[in-house]
């Protein structure tokens, strides 16, 4: 019987064995290293972008606790809570904030109501002039605010309407409606129209179908549009400055105060408004998630 040794089977048919060099147990993938590097760079880039966006807001919040000794609040001089204890110490500032809140609330109500009905009409019904209406609803969004403010002022002067609270309210409703229409339209176009047809087939009239079927299904879009209208109204400066007359709003007061020294109460009230808008956004997100879970439950 032959005692000649049998040839050994190579462990790796692809990688040739080099004498004196041990193969690596877990070879590194160049593609994996590139992916990890790209992920790290994207994370750094996102962090820098967020820092750029949020840094001014951080300064505003921090300097609301500044114990400033003079009129200006631009240099850190110590921590204090006295500005938060008396945020409405300046009566002119308190009146300006009251005007802004009243205008923003009324704008939200009227713009949401009119914009939602217009969006339903444009999406669900065919009528003469629908195409031009669908096109021109974007015009206030595309026009520069200076043009909008000047044109509104010219119209009010021609009609003999004195500028003030009412003209600010009309101007805010006008430019907020477009944003409401666009937001609610997006929700309506993603909604299955057969649900409404099924309700009408079961005997529901137009009003019942709208209030019992359409409105609950587009409620998240309507809520988002309302929050957007509120935010747009309360911080508008350009259009308001053309049509304010002697009425002061919060943005107008801040701009005027920068010439003589911004009081720290401005930082406090601005932080409060920021927290209010964030709270509204959180409530909107929670409502949307609950409605989404309810819809999934109904489908299941």
């Amino acid at each position: 019987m032959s005692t000649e040794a049998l040839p050994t089977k190579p462990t790796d048919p692809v990688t040739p064995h080099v004498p004196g060099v041990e193969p690596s147990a877990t070879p590194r993938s160049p593609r994996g290293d590139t992916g990890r590097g790209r992920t790290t760079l994207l994370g750094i880039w996102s962090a820098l972008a967020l820092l750029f966006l949020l840094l001014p807001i951080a300064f505003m919040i921090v300097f609301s606790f500044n114990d400033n000794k003079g009129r200006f609040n631009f240099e850190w001089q110590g921590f204090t809570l006295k500005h938060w204890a008396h945020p409405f110490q300046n009566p002119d500032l308190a009146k300006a904030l009251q005007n802004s809140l009243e205008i923003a609330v009324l704008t939200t109500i009227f713009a949401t109501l009119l914009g939602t009905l217009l969006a339903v009409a444009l999406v669900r019904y065919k009528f003469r002039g629908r195409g031009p209406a669908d096109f021109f609803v974007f015009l206030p969004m595309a026009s520069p605010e200076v043009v909008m403010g000047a044109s509104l002022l010219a119209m009010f002067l021609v009609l003999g309407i004195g500028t003030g609270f009412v003209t600010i309210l009309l101007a805010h409703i006008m430019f907020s409606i477009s944003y409401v229409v666009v937001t609610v339209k997006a929700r309506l176009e993603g909604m299955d129209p057969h649900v409404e047809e099924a309700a009408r087939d079961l005997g529901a009239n137009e009003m019942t179908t709208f209030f019992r079927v359409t409105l609950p299904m587009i409620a998240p879009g309507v809520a988002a549009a309302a929050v957007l209208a509120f935010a747009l109204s309360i911080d508008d400066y350009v259009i308001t400055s053309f049509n304010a007359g002697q009425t002061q709003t919060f943005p107008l007061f801040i701009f005027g105060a920068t010439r003589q020294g911004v009081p720290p109460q401005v930082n406090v009230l601005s932080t409060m408004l920021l927290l209010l808008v964030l709270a509204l956004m959180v409530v909107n997100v929670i409502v949307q998630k609950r409605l989404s879970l309810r819809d999934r439950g109904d489908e299941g």
Side-chain angles (χ1 to χ4, degrees):
M1 183 176 179
S2 174
T3 58
E4 186 178 356
L6 295 174
T8 57
K9 185 178 180 180
T11 57
D12 189 349
V14 177
T15 304
H17 176 70
V18 179
V21 177
E22 295 297 331
S24 175
T26 55
R28 301 179 63 184
S29 170
R31 182 173 298 177
D33 293 342
T34 305
R36 284 193 292 273
R38 183 173 55 190
T39 302
T40 304
L41 288 176
L42 286 175
I44 295 173
W45 180 258
S46 301
L48 290 175
L50 287 175
L51 181 65
F52 179 74
L53 290 174
L54 301 179
L55 191 60
I57 298 176
F59 271 102
M60 178 192 70
I61 297 174
V62 169
F63 275 81
S64 68
F65 299 99
N66 184 26
D67 188 12
N68 63 312
K69 306 301 180 186
R71 292 184 303 172
F72 294 95
N73 188 25
F74 304 143
E75 183 179 354
W76 182 257
Q77 296 174 319
F79 180 84
T80 183
L81 291 174
K82 64 181 182 182
H83 307 310
W84 282 85
H86 305 285
F88 303 105
Q89 186 177 7
N90 189 323
D92 295 332
L93 177 59
K95 180 61 178 177
L97 180 63
Q98 179 184 349
N99 289 335
S100 286
L101 288 175
E102 290 176 355
I103 291 170
V105 170
L106 292 174
T107 298
T108 302
I109 294 172
F110 287 108
T112 304
L113 179 62
L114 296 175
T116 299
L117 294 178
L118 180 56
V120 172
L122 290 174
V123 175
R124 286 291 183 263
Y125 300 95
K126 295 181 180 179
F127 55 90
R128 182 174 298 177
R130 175 188 175 190
D134 199 10
F135 174 76
F136 284 112
V137 77
F138 290 95
L139 190 60
M141 298 174 62
S143 301
E145 288 192 344
V146 173
V147 176
M148 291 293 300
S151 60
L152 282 166
L153 176 61
M155 183 186 74
F156 292 138
L157 292 178
V158 169
L159 296 177
I161 302 174
T163 54
F165 187 93
V166 175
T167 53
I168 297 174
L169 177 61
L170 292 175
H172 286 201
I173 293 172
M174 196 209 67
F175 71 73
S176 297
I177 284 178
S178 298
Y179 293 92
V180 175
V181 171
V182 171
T183 306
V184 178
K185 268 186 67 181
R187 182 73 181 179
L188 277 167
E189 289 172 347
M191 175 182 163
D192 187 3
H194 294 95
V195 179
E196 296 166 298
E197 295 175 4
R200 286 192 288 270
D201 290 341
L202 293 173
N205 56 26
E206 293 284 343
M207 296 295 290
T208 304
T209 302
F210 177 76
F211 284 107
R212 301 293 296 273
V213 178
T214 307
L215 189 57
M217 295 186 73
I218 65 172
V222 176
V227 173
L228 181 60
F230 182 86
L232 288 172
S233 173
I234 203 164
D235 74 343
D236 180 76
Y237 173 78
V238 177
I239 297 176
T240 305
S241 64
F242 279 92
N243 302 280
Q246 299 300 319
T247 303
Q248 282 277 9
T249 61
F250 191 60
L252 295 181
F253 180 89
I254 293 176
F255 180 77
T258 54
R259 302 173 183 174
Q260 302 174 352
V262 180
Q265 283 80 12
V266 169
N267 296 60
V268 175
L269 295 178
S270 300
T271 304
M272 288 181 177
L273 286 177
L274 174 67
L275 295 177
L276 175 63
V277 173
L278 289 178
L280 291 175
M281 292 174 62
V282 170
V283 170
N284 184 36
V285 170
I286 292 174
V287 170
Q288 290 194 32
K289 284 188 176 181
R290 289 186 176 181
L291 290 175
S292 178
L293 290 175
R294 187 194 65 181
D295 295 341
R296 290 178 184 176
D298 293 341
E299 291 175 359

